[in-house]
């Protein structure tokens, strides 16, 4: 209960920013979309891989820094032990998750359709020293998510936008009460957004920096 209250208190100002951004064309400032100052040697190593990936263009369909920092913040503040990601791409969002998971003692299970991008992600995780925290599942996630059996703490959707509703319907029962469902590029998924803002078991705020993301708390 205390952890849920802390998360809601943290999300309240983010939600206010999101609403102002939705109505007034808010744009992220330079500080919001930059890499943070490393707090440990492990974080420094992960951030170095992130910077190199961006500088070399190895970031296909990935989150910008502003969104990545929010992924890390929510994961660490919620003390998430198991994060499930749909859409690994080249592992950029996964690296942000791993900064937090290295501290919470957690792990990431991430699903990727494209074998080449999955290979690139594995290399990024290896270079960052977090490969042991990550399980990459290759193939069509609409099929492979059936392997998930146990409850988890956080779900991140960043794959085929038309599939968000299917992913939500099938995986919501596995998100623990008090857990989070995050969805990237939310402007491209109106039906999903309608579902997470009308379900009484969910509380949703919009984060309008970066690529735009919905942040949904599973209340029940």
């Amino acid at each position: 209960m205390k952890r849920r209250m802390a998360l809601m208190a943290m999300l309240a100002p983010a939600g206010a920013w999101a609403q102002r951004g939705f109505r007034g064309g808010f744009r992220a400032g330079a500080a919001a979309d930059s890499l943070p100052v490393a707090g440990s040697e492990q974080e420094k190593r992960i951030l170095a891989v992130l910077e190199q990936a961006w500088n070399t263009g190895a970031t296909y369909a990935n989150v910008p820094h502003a969104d990545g920092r929010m992924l890390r913040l929510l994961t660490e503040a919620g003390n998430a032990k198991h994060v499930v990601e749909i859409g690994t791409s080249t592992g950029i969002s996964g690296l942000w998750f791993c900064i937090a998971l290295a501290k919470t003692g957690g792990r990431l299970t991430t699903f990727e359709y494209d074998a080449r991008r999955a290979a690139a992600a594995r290399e990024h995780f290896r270079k960052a020293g977090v490969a042991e925290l990550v399980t990459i599942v290759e193939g069509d996630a609409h099929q492979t998510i059936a392997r998930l059996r146990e409850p988890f703490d956080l779900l991140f959707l960043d794959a085929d936008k038309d599939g968000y509703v299917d992913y939500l319907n099938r995986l919501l029962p596995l998100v623990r009460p008090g857990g989070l469902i995050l969805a990237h590029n939310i402007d491209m998924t109106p039906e999903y957004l309608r579902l997470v803002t009308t379900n009484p078991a969910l509380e949703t705020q919009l984060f309008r920096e970066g690529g735009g993301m919905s942040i949904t708390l599973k209340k029940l």
Side-chain angles (χ1 to χ4, degrees):
M1 178 62 70
K2 289 182 179 179
R3 184 165 60 192
R4 186 187 304 182
M5 291 176 65
L7 275 171
M8 291 304 295
M10 177 180 63
L11 288 177
W17 299 337
Q19 292 305 317
R20 289 198 298 270
F22 183 74
R23 293 190 296 265
F26 179 85
R27 292 294 182 271
D33 203 26
S34 61
L35 290 170
V37 177
S40 68
E41 286 302 312
Q42 185 171 43
E43 184 175 351
K44 183 178 180 180
R45 182 174 177 180
I46 297 172
L47 292 175
V49 175
L50 282 166
E51 183 173 24
Q52 181 183 41
W54 278 102
N55 289 340
T56 59
T59 56
Y60 176 84
N62 265 294
V63 298
H65 295 333
D67 293 358
R69 295 179 76 168
M70 180 58 81
L71 296 180
R72 180 265 179 96
L73 186 154
L74 293 170
T75 303
E76 192 168 331
N79 196 33
K81 302 298 184 182
H82 187 191
V83 172
V84 171
E85 174 185 50
I86 311 298
T88 314
S89 189
T90 58
I92 302 304
S93 52
L95 289 170
W96 286 107
F97 281 124
C98 283
I99 295 176
L101 294 170
K103 295 183 179 181
T104 67
R107 59 193 173 95
L108 170 67
T109 302
T110 180
F111 294 79
E112 175 54 45
Y113 181 81
D114 188 280
R116 289 175 298 178
R117 291 198 286 271
R122 284 192 181 90
E123 182 61 12
H124 285 147
F125 295 140
R126 185 194 66 78
K127 288 182 178 179
V130 296
E132 73 280 2
L133 303 181
V134 184
T135 299
I136 299 177
V137 182
E138 293 187 45
D140 184 347
H142 291 283
Q143 300 174 13
T144 56
I145 58 172
R147 302 180 191 181
L148 295 170
R149 293 284 190 271
E150 298 179 355
F152 51 86
D153 303 299
L154 189 152
L155 172 64
F156 179 50
L157 303 178
D158 193 17
D160 52 309
K161 309 312 174 190
D162 291 341
Y164 278 22
V165 171
D166 180 54
Y167 296 133
L168 178 70
N169 289 336
R170 295 175 60 189
L171 294 178
L172 184 58
L174 290 179
V175 179
R176 66 164 178 79
L180 295 176
I181 306 99
L182 314 177
H184 200 230
N185 305 127
I186 198 63
D187 288 337
M188 301 169 64
T189 61
E191 180 61 18
Y192 172 87
L193 186 58
R194 185 190 66 79
L195 289 176
V196 296
T197 54
T198 58
N199 186 333
L202 305 175
E203 175 69 25
T204 297
Q205 295 282 0
L206 303 181
F207 179 69
R208 287 290 177 182
E209 295 189 21
M213 181 165 61
S214 63
I215 302 172
T216 299
L217 173 72
K218 182 178 177 180
K219 296 187 289 185
L220 303 175

